[in-house]
Amino acid sequence: MATFLYRLGRSAFRRRRLVVLLWVAIIALVGFGAANASSPAAKPFTVPGIEAQKAVDLLGERMPEAAADGASARIVFRAPAGQQIDSAKNKAAVEQVVGALKGSDQVAAADDPYTAGTVSKDHTTAYAAVSYQVSGDTLKDATRDNLEHAAQKGRDAGLTVEIGGDALQDDSGPGNGEIVGIAIAAVVLVITFGGLVAAGLPILTALLGVAVGVGSITALAGVFDLSPTTSTLAMMLGLAVGIDYALFVVSRYRNELTKGHEPEDAAGRAVGTAGSAVVFAGLTVIVALAGLAVVNIPMLTEMGLAAAGTVAVAVLVALTFVPAILGFAGKRIFGRKARRKAELLAAEAAEGGSVHRRAAEKPNMGTRWARFVLRHPIRVLVIAVLGLGTLAIPVGSMQLGLPDDGVKSTDTTQRRGYDLLTESFGPGFNGPLLVVVDAAKSNNGKAAAAEVTQALGTVKGIASVGEATFNKAGNTAIIEVTPNSKPSSNATKDLVHAIRDTADQTKARTGADTLVGGGPALNIDFSQRLNDALLPYLALVVGLAILLLMAVFRSVLVPIKAAGGFLLSVVASLGAVVAVFQWGWLGSLIGVDQTGPIMSMMPIFLVGIVFGLAMDYEVFLVTGMREAYVHGESPRQAVVSGFRHGARVVTAAALIMIGVFAGFIGAPDSMVKMIGFGLASAVLFDAFVVRMTIVPAVLALLGKSAWWLPGWLNRLIPNVDVEGEGLRKYLGDDDANAAPDSEDGSRRPDRDPDLDLDTVKV
């Protein structure tokens, strides 16, 4: 592997103009395809197999007018203090708003509150239900403008008017999160490399990979009927790993130049060593993302496969485009000051000089930290594990759900409308349940629906039960049930299960199937599906990754340790999310207005995304340790060597990722905040607590056992040579069997007196 990648890197460096032209041609081809691709048809969110989805499908088949997937809106009217909403003046204002809505060509119906009976008992509030002929994604701007202008007419008449539903354009998305992330990445890269060329190269190559990946998704969206949200995860991860992978290769290229290698050879060596780590780090990310298919939710499968494809593009960019650009940069990859120092070190290495004394006598921060951990491994390990374990405690009370208008900021009209409806009609009014009676196999459909309605009246937790509404064939009925509790509460979850238990009892008497649907039921079933899929998903991605890492590290314990550390960081970050967004701790610091359940997809997202990024850091950091160990260093010295070369790069990569994800915390929408906060905290815990602290402590305690692999397994697993031992022999390096050179070009001593076992402290 390393030898092949070495040749690939040199070839890309030498034929840099051809490589760049090929990538430019790919971008042009993808751009042309994206520009001329047909738009994918808007399709509803579906979760095959769950009961709430079966209810939706049944209504779509037998009562399409009731199961229309078009957009909807609720316009809520509140009379001024001391007045009633059905007074002559206020009634005229409401009817004017409803009349203005009916003038839009995309409106299917706009109900008059006074004829529909949607006026509160205290006569202070009313609402108009508006349905549209098309989905929210395909509403015209003119239609949305008409909705807002109509509401403004009511406000001008003195009424309080708020709008809920999915017809109103939601502007509370991620905002400028990507731009903020790129800006933070640029600052970190400039500080890390000390030069604009080296800092700009990872960003340039990452943007190239994202452009190709997302452009390909856009070009194929119409062919494969991909949803508009498919490219969201691909863009976020493509930017993240693209910067990381280029950073790893560029950093190794700079190190090889300081050892006296010519630029072309240095590029080949960088791709052969750091590029090998990139390949296997990328494979772990791809495994984690493609594994989302086991959840059996079409939207997640599409997002996972699209993001996996974008990560694959990022790997190819790092292996070909990066060395090609290095060919144009040459030694200008250093800043002026660093270039002079690198030339001095390279000259010393070429002359056989033993040490650049001042550089050798002053170990870098990574070296000092590694030596500290190795002197106190048990103490450091216990503190780190207990700290993450403490952060994970809130996970025990985590409640999962899907977002609704009730978790939006109080500055939004959707949230204000939600609150008005809750005050005037009850907390369950914002999330009614739809009980669907399938009487196709029943002898008397109306009698079956009547018995179901009667049975619902005995279930606790129901505020009201509506009359059964039949389709034209008389074999399907809808019964609307309003809970006493708000949609996202545990009480509503218990109510859904109670209704389903009652439905099982009525089926035995009537022969009619009864399904419970509606927004709250869909949320409950969706969350349960994700809960059920989490353990199989974890087993799949962790199991495959352990096998992959065994091939990389030629070890049994190191991959198991890597997976265990990842689980620690994920549960700790989930605990932090629960503490902030469900319990409300410190929520005001990041603008969390309303606590509520944790988004159902959050655990799966954290597992998939963070696992891939965590393995990036694991592969790059521990590969350096493995490389030093294979080349003759003791296990403890190898840990220090890995930190000497890798700690700075891993730190920069982690800070960049934290910055990219933290950029989304400033978004107005609480769900976007949650994703940004969860991912940023997970990377923080995994990179700095697990990889930089727990990993060296565990390796110090394991010693040579860390690199143990049974002989039969060693023969079974292919040798991918990530550490570059075969490459060094291929190149005929004089020091093929000796300890590798240090960053400053000096030969490392056979023994580090700071790591003598007698000095280790618990």
Side-chain angles (χ1 to χ4, degrees), residues 244-585:
D244 272 10
Y245 295 164
L247 173 63
F248 295 160
V249 175
V250 171
S251 177
R252 189 59 182 250
Y253 172 74
R254 285 161 56 100
N255 284 338
E256 295 297 337
L257 286 178
T258 62
K259 296 177 184 178
H261 300 298
E262 290 300 314
E264 182 178 325
D265 188 45
R269 290 170 182 265
V271 175
T273 51
S276 297
V278 165
V279 168
F280 284 92
L283 283 176
T284 59
V285 180
I286 291 170
V287 165
L289 293 171
L292 287 172
V294 304
V295 183
N296 193 27
I297 295 176
M299 183 190 73
L300 281 181
T301 301
E302 292 175 2
M303 292 177 69
L305 293 178
T310 304
V311 171
V313 172
V315 172
L316 292 176
V317 168
L319 300 180
T320 58
F321 189 72
V322 169
I325 297 299
L326 290 175
F328 291 105
K331 294 185 178 181
R332 291 191 301 277
I333 199 69
F334 294 102
R336 291 182 180 180
K337 183 178 179 180
R339 197 183 310 161
R340 289 194 295 269
K341 181 180 178 181
E343 291 172 352
L344 176 61
L345 295 177
E348 286 188 0
E351 294 171 1
S354 59
V355 180
H356 187 290
R357 295 296 178 187
R358 283 181 297 179
E361 291 171 358
K362 186 178 180 181
N364 62 18
M365 181 67 74
T367 301
R368 293 195 296 271
W369 173 249
R371 288 174 177 173
F372 171 79
V373 174
L374 292 178
R375 285 196 298 269
H376 311 279
I378 295 179
R379 185 184 305 174
V380 168
L381 181 62
V382 169
I383 292 174
V385 171
L386 286 179
L388 292 180
T390 301
L391 288 170
I393 290 175
V395 174
S397 63
M398 181 170 61
Q399 300 175 11
L400 297 178
L402 288 179
D404 58 16
D405 288 347
V407 298
K408 294 183 181 295
S409 169
T410 52
D411 294 333
T412 63
T413 184
Q414 295 97 324
R415 171 61 187 281
R416 292 194 294 267
Y418 182 98
D419 291 342
L420 288 176
L421 290 173
T422 298
E423 293 171 9
S424 300
F425 295 92
F429 190 79
N430 281 294
L433 300 171
L434 294 180
V435 177
V436 182
V437 181
D438 179 5
K441 298 179 182 179
S442 176
N443 295 327
N444 189 331
K446 290 188 177 181
E451 185 161 347
V452 171
T453 301
Q454 184 178 1
L456 289 173
T458 65
V459 179
K460 295 181 179 180
I462 294 179
S464 64
V465 178
E467 294 183 0
T469 303
F470 281 86
N471 64 343
K472 294 180 180 179
N475 59 4
T476 306
I478 299 177
I479 304 171
E480 184 172 295
V481 175
T482 303
N484 280 324
S485 51
K486 64 180 183 179
S488 59
S489 66
N490 283 331
T492 301
K493 180 178 179 180
D494 294 338
L495 175 61
V496 169
H497 292 309
I499 293 175
R500 286 173 176 169
D501 291 340
T502 302
D504 293 338
Q505 298 170 10
T506 58
K507 180 181 179 180
R509 298 190 298 270
T510 64
D513 290 320
T514 302
L515 303 172
V516 182
L522 180 63
N523 292 353
I524 292 166
D525 292 349
F526 178 62
S527 299
Q528 188 61 49
R529 165 65 65 82
L530 290 173
N531 275 341
D532 294 341
L534 186 57
L535 286 180
Y537 176 66
L538 264 176
L540 174 68
V541 298
V542 173
L544 290 178
I546 286 177
L547 294 177
L548 205 60
L549 293 179
M550 280 185 182
V552 174
F553 297 131
R554 318 301 300 173
S555 165
V556 173
L557 298 180
V558 170
I560 294 175
K561 174 266 307 171
F566 153 74
L567 293 176
L568 267 177
S569 60
V570 166
V571 294
S573 62
L574 277 175
V577 169
V578 172
V580 173
F581 290 89
Q582 185 177 311
W583 292 0
W585 290 6

